[in-house]
Amino acid sequence: MNILAAAGSLAPATRGFLSPTGAEIVFVLVGLAVLGAAVISVGTRQLVHAALWLVVALGGLAIEFLLLTAEFVAWVQVLIYLGSVVVLVLFGLMLTKAPIGRSPDADSGNRWVALLVALAAAGTLVTLVVDAFRTSWIDLGAGGGSASVTGASLFRNWVLPFEALSVLLLAALIGAIVLSRSRQAAAPKPRAGRLRTGKPVGAAPAAKSPAAQSPSSERES
Amino acid sequence: MNLLDTLLRCVAALVVFLTFPLIIGQTEHKVMAHMQGRLGPMYAGGFHGWAQLVADGVKFAQKEDIVPAGADRRIFQLAPAVSLLPYLFVLLVVPVGPHGFVGQAVDAGIFFVLAVMGVGVIGKLMAGWASANKFSLLGGLRTAAQLMSYELPMVLAAASAAMAAGTLSLTGIVEAFHWWWLPWQAIGAFVFFTAGLAELQRPPFDMPVADSEIIFGAYTEYTGLRFAFFLLSEYAGILVVCALTTVLFLGGWHGPLPDSLGWLWTILKTFALAFVVIWLRVTYPRLREDQLMRFAWTVLVPLALVQLALTGIIKVAISQ
Amino acid sequence: MNLPGSGLAKGLAVTLRTMTKKTVTAQYPEVQPHLPPRSRGVIGLLEENCTVCMLCARECPDWCIYIDSHKETLPAVDPNARARTRNVLDRFAIDFSLCMYCGICIEVCPFDALFWSPEFEYAETDILELTHERDKLREWMWTVPAPPALDPGAEEPKEIAAARKAADKLAAAAGGDPA
Amino acid sequence: MHLAYPAVLAALLFSVGVYGVLARRNAVLVLMSVELMLNAVNLNLVAFDAWLRDALHAGQALTLFTITIAAAEIGLGLAIVLLVFRTRGTPDIDRLTALGDRVAERQNSADDSVDASKGQAVS
């Protein structure tokens, strides 16, 4: 395969891990920061802090892209992710529920299972990846990711997917508009009588049997 | 030598970043006053109040730095820096004159500029949310919505200029400029400048800081130096948007004088645009929130698309 | 004629034109303002005219006039007559931190003891100093401008008319005697 | 640069994203974790693009596509979350069990009856 031939770096490594280059050191340091920010982002109970740590993680990833000479992708990452996606996420958080301070219901009950799954996945993937690419070496020639190169390949070889993607974006745009249009006519206003259907106020938990609760909720849903 | 050169350029950008916004601010004081039949500041510094903003700065520095009790302390304190720093980075890549008279030439310059300017929104959202004040939150949300919707026409208009020049580099765009770009890219320039104005939340697009309804939007709870940083970011933003419009659409350093005086042209054009920004502020009343959104989506975006189509057609026509 | 955006352009033109015109700002501390006659700056007291009738203090809407006085007995001029008493002013003060410059005190004064003066630069750093005592109020009297001239053809002021009548009568008497 | 560095970083980031998707309750936070996973994929794509340097530049082109799709996804996702929040009064995906089993729903509504009944009664 010419792809592998072009890479030509599956040969046994002559470069050890113990004498890292400058780019590698920077990469690892930024990578640690990205990882730390990502962990805090999924772990913190303060919702908006989570989104802001996500900003740090994504910004760090943009730096990693720069280090991998994918310049154009890095700026796209900053423009789309930091400029739009995270702002949208923050917007969504603030429009739903984003109190200052900790929210007790940020994590669900199966946290430990999730942790287990994640650790297992991490262990498997890292073992696999390290085993497979221990000896591979990236030749970081400059200019591989400049705008002109990326643009040329995008519009020479990837035109059809590009156009398909634009259709997808249009569909997403229309979908978002349809979803977020207010349906004042469709959604009936909550009536006071319905909200107070025989709710046992201050009763013992035993009194809140499904029979007392479910008629209204099941009918409505 | 190389390191020294880089350092010197960075320091120069920093100096510009710290002085030019003040000049624009002082110009705003005076121009606005005269347009309203007043004189503006007359005392600080002696001659026509030239040191008014310095005095303001001293006053801001003396004020107590207050963080509201219910606020999210760290984010509240971090927000001004987040909204200020992107403009500094942008200023670093704006070409001032020919032959490498630029802080730091970036290959995908226009992309870098738009990307980094987008980050400033986060600072304003942070400020609005962390203040623990519903007016601030409203202001922050309005800011975010406004900036998101005006970023699209801005990027499209900038893309038109990049298309015309055939490069993403800001220096390259200025080098490719010809005088007949002015009529050709007029719509794009209008869209870019207007969208930039909206990105800065300058009047008439200052809904997010509409003082008659939501006090001062996201900045309501800020005092002292942090507040000054927000103000500085607004004026630095004027500088950046005007400089970018100059570079992208008005031909940067091109002018009747020899190339060695090109930087003068860039600065002149930038300040002329800054004057227009101030002029618009004095002239027009504030748009309502829904008018603002409608203007972005039903006027600016179609105009930007028209400009893109026009650019494409003419570009193809002249390349054949 | 009615191009779209012509209104916007007109607005821009208005602001630009205003910018090139001379401003209307009064450079107050350097240039003294030109005050119209009867400007209400401060109230002066001509205490020679004051009879301590207390009308001003009573009419004052916010009670900012303080008057103290005592009675003095004048020895009778004529041994058959009774001794006269008269009010002597001890204190007359106006608290300008309360005064709302309505001018009612000046209107009601039956003896022309209170006058408007156009002086207005008496700001103080201490609010207590805004209570102007009698001497200070007397000092303001020197700044009271002459009353504006009467309209041409207006009726003569009563006091002058009376004085002139008396003078005429005297003159007539003096002129009539030799005749 | 060793390929192992970006690859390991991508694997770890992906795992962090997996944890976030599984452990988070707030729908917006789940979307954020999905973004993390997508970014891990992006990093892999860019790294392998730099490694292989193929003529098609497949890695970077696909990264751009992924970023675009992520933007579309977050837009739609947030629209859905906001809609759900408006009708149900909660962004909590554990409570969005309208299509779930009866039994499961009963247990759920017994667990936190107040909020569940309120949210559903409003709809």
Side-chain angles (χ1 to χ4, degrees):
Chain A
M1 279 300 286
N2 62 344
I3 294 176
L4 291 184
S9 47
L10 280 176
T14 51
R15 299 168 176 92
F17 278 91
L18 288 178
S19 57
T21 61
E24 279 177 333
I25 295 173
V26 176
F27 190 94
V28 169
L29 288 180
V30 177
L32 285 179
V34 168
L35 208 60
V39 167
I40 299 175
S41 169
V42 297
T44 179
R45 297 196 158 197
Q46 308 193 27
L47 304 182
V48 173
H49 284 206
L52 293 176
W53 281 111
L54 188 72
V55 173
V56 177
L58 298 179
L61 268 176
I63 299 176
E64 304 281 50
F65 290 160
L66 275 182
L67 288 174
L68 287 169
T69 68
E71 196 189 329
F72 186 70
V73 176
W75 298 136
V76 172
Q77 166 98 359
V78 174
L79 180 68
I80 303 290
Y81 270 110
L82 266 60
S84 307
V85 168
V86 174
V87 173
L88 269 182
V89 166
L90 279 170
F91 209 77
L93 278 177
M94 289 174 190
L95 281 182
T96 53
K97 270 181 185 170
I100 288 176
R102 290 159 198 283
S103 328
D105 57 348
D107 291 328
S108 70
N110 45 18
R111 257 175 82 198
W112 299 110
V113 184
L115 189 63
L116 208 68
V117 171
L119 283 181
T124 320
L125 281 174
V126 168
T127 327
L128 225 144
V129 160
V130 166
D131 190 42
F133 302 114
R134 195 179 43 216
T135 57
S136 310
W137 179 261
I138 306 176
D139 258 333
L140 291 177
S146 72
S148 61
V149 173
T150 316
S153 83
L154 206 60
F155 288 108
R156 291 229 169 87
N157 308 317
W158 298 91
V159 175
L160 192 63
F162 188 85
E163 291 302 325
L165 210 61
S166 60
V167 175
L168 177 102
L169 273 183
L170 186 65
L173 181 70
I174 295 172
I177 291 173
V178 169
L179 276 179
S180 55
R181 271 179 59 174
S182 63
R183 298 177 200 165
Q184 279 151 349
K189 287 207 171 112
R191 272 179 273 164
R194 240 188 218 182
L195 272 173
R196 297 187 191 123
T197 41
K199 198 183 290 172
V201 177
K208 294 182 185 175
S209 64
Q213 281 300 320
S214 50
S216 72
S217 57
E218 275 169 17
R219 198 178 58 238
E220 296 306 317
S221 61
Chain B
M1 187 58 209
N2 201 6
L3 188 72
L4 193 70
D5 185 50
T6 312
L7 205 69
L8 209 66
R9 282 160 190 264
C10 288
V11 168
L14 190 68
V15 167
V16 167
F17 182 70
L18 289 178
T19 52
F20 278 38
L22 294 188
I23 298 174
I24 293 176
Q26 181 67 16
T27 316
E28 172 164 43
H29 272 158
K30 296 307 268 189
V31 168
M32 208 165 137
H34 280 276
M35 283 186 173
Q36 294 165 344
R38 301 182 284 119
L39 283 170
M42 288 298 281
Y43 289 96
F47 178 72
H48 280 266
W50 65 270
Q52 181 62 42
L53 284 173
V54 179
D56 281 351
V58 172
K59 185 194 75 177
F60 278 130
Q62 286 172 338
K63 290 210 168 179
E64 186 186 355
D65 186 22
I66 298 172
V67 180
D72 194 315
R73 227 184 153 71
R74 262 187 306 163
I75 294 187
F76 185 85
Q77 291 175 333
L78 204 61
V82 175
S83 74
L84 182 60
L85 278 185
Y87 291 122
L88 179 59
F89 285 118
V90 170
L91 217 56
L92 208 56
V93 304
V94 173
V96 181
H99 316 306
F101 198 160
V102 49
Q104 208 67 48
V106 174
D107 178 33
I110 191 170
F111 228 84
F112 172 84
V113 162
L114 293 172
V116 170
M117 272 171 76
V119 177
V121 193
I122 297 177
K124 280 153 194 162
L125 260 180
M126 280 161 73
W129 175 79
S131 296
N133 177 331
K134 60 187 166 205
F135 296 114
S136 297
L137 185 59
L138 269 177
L141 288 179
R142 281 182 178 186
T143 310
Q146 179 170 334
L147 266 59
M148 295 282 294
S149 27
Y150 278 90
E151 192 152 336
L152 186 62
M154 199 170 177
V155 172
L156 286 176
S160 154
M163 244 167 94
T167 173
L168 284 178
S169 148
L170 289 174
T171 321
I173 289 175
V174 182
E175 268 164 6
F177 183 84
H178 293 288
W179 67 266
W180 48 269
W181 280 31
L182 283 178
W184 183 25
Q185 301 289 340
I187 305 174
F190 167 74
V191 170
F192 187 87
F193 189 63
T194 317
L197 215 60
E199 293 250 322
L200 298 174
Q201 303 151 35
R202 293 285 300 174
F205 303 105
D206 63 338
M207 207 61 227
V209 291
D211 45 3
S212 50
E213 342 181 336
I214 51 174
I215 314 177
F216 208 51
Y219 320 137
T220 302
E221 298 287 353
Y222 280 89
T223 56
L225 270 185
R226 292 182 201 282
F227 183 73
F229 280 159
F230 274 123
L231 283 190
L232 182 62
S233 87
E234 181 177 338
Y235 287 95
I238 296 178
L239 175 66
V240 162
V241 165
C242 294
L244 280 180
T245 314
T246 305
V247 165
L248 291 179
F249 297 101
L250 300 183
W253 63 72
H254 290 289
L257 289 175
D259 266 5
S260 54
L261 285 174
W263 55 273
L264 200 64
W265 278 110
T266 310
I267 292 174
L268 260 178
K269 289 173 185 173
T270 304
F271 275 102
L273 281 175
F275 173 77
V276 174
V277 170
I278 297 163
W279 190 8
L280 290 173
R281 167 178 180 177
V282 182
T283 307
Y284 295 134
R286 178 181 299 139
L287 289 178
R288 221 168 48 213
E289 186 69 19
D290 59 324
Q291 293 171 333
L292 200 83
M293 289 296 156
R294 192 172 307 139
F295 183 66
W297 290 103
T298 63
V299 178
L300 287 188
V301 171
L303 275 181
L305 289 176
V306 165
Q307 172 66 62
L308 263 185
L310 190 71
T311 310
I313 290 169
I314 294 187
K315 187 80 182 165
V316 170
I318 57 175
S319 68
Q320 274 169 358
Chain C
M1 185 62 206
N2 218 349
L3 285 171
S6 62
L8 299 178
K10 203 182 284 173
L12 287 175
V14 165
T15 41
L16 198 63
R17 215 177 311 127
T18 315
M19 189 180 75
T20 53
K21 276 185 194 151
K22 204 167 152 39
T23 59
V24 295
T25 308
Q27 291 292 81
Y28 154 59
E30 275 89 42
V31 184
Q32 284 301 315
H34 177 73
L35 295 173
R38 297 185 188 140
S39 291
R40 297 179 173 195
V42 71
I43 296 171
L45 169 71
L46 188 62
E47 60 175 85
E48 290 85 345
N49 280 359
C50 181
T51 60
V52 202
C53 67
M54 303 292 282
L55 276 179
C56 51
R58 272 191 276 171
E59 292 292 330
C60 179
D62 40 16
W63 291 25
C64 64
I65 301 180
Y66 310 106
I67 301 178
D68 291 339
S69 66
H70 67 272
K71 279 201 162 101
E72 259 177 19
T73 311
L74 292 179
V77 194
D78 191 349
N80 297 327
R82 274 185 296 165
R84 299 273 173 110
T85 59
R86 74 179 182 108
N87 288 317
V88 177
L89 192 63
D90 290 334
R91 178 182 186 227
F92 192 107
I94 299 179
D95 187 350
F96 283 105
S97 65
L98 289 179
C99 177
M100 58 187 202
Y101 302 93
C102 61
I104 290 178
C105 50
I106 295 162
E107 296 296 322
V108 299
C109 182
F111 301 104
D112 280 353
L114 292 171
F115 293 91
W116 276 121
S117 156
E119 288 296 317
F120 59 93
E121 295 168 305
Y122 49 94
E124 303 281 358
T125 47
D126 185 353
I127 196 168
L128 293 178
E129 314 239 315
L130 276 175
T131 306
H132 290 189
E133 293 294 340
R134 177 174 161 185
D135 330 341
K136 203 161 183 187
L137 292 173
R138 183 67 184 82
E139 286 300 309
W140 289 129
M141 267 318 285
W142 304 116
T143 63
V144 174
L150 292 170
D151 290 340
E155 197 186 335
E156 236 175 351
K158 281 200 183 98
E159 58 268 29
I160 293 180
R164 202 168 50 80
K165 215 173 275 175
D168 282 352
K169 213 177 272 173
L170 268 178
D177 267 349
Chain D
M1 183 183 291
H2 281 284
L3 182 54
Y5 288 125
V8 168
L9 178 60
L12 289 176
L13 261 186
F14 190 82
S15 311
V16 171
V18 168
Y19 169 78
V21 169
L22 293 179
R24 288 302 199 172
R25 241 174 154 177
N26 190 313
V28 185
L29 293 182
V30 173
L31 281 176
M32 276 165 48
S33 306
V34 172
E35 294 302 320
L36 269 183
M37 287 160 74
L38 280 172
N39 264 285
V41 174
N42 284 350
L43 181 59
N44 250 343
L45 283 171
V46 168
F48 279 89
D49 179 85
W51 182 45
L52 294 173
R53 287 274 180 242
D54 61 324
L56 291 181
H57 262 287
Q60 293 195 9
L62 283 179
T63 311
L64 292 178
F65 292 164
T66 318
I67 291 177
T68 319
I69 289 175
E73 171 244 322
I74 202 85
L76 266 186
L78 278 177
I80 292 173
V81 170
L82 285 184
L83 195 64
V84 167
F85 183 78
R86 212 186 291 153
T87 52
R88 294 292 161 91
T90 173
D92 195 339
I93 46 176
D94 282 6
R95 293 198 191 141
L96 304 177
T97 53
L99 295 179
D101 262 346
R102 278 284 150 84
V103 186
E105 187 182 344
R106 274 185 193 159
Q107 274 173 356
N108 205 5
S109 62
D111 279 348
D112 29 41
S113 54
V114 179
D115 287 71
S117 67
K118 189 179 177 188
Q120 293 179 344
V122 170
S123 74

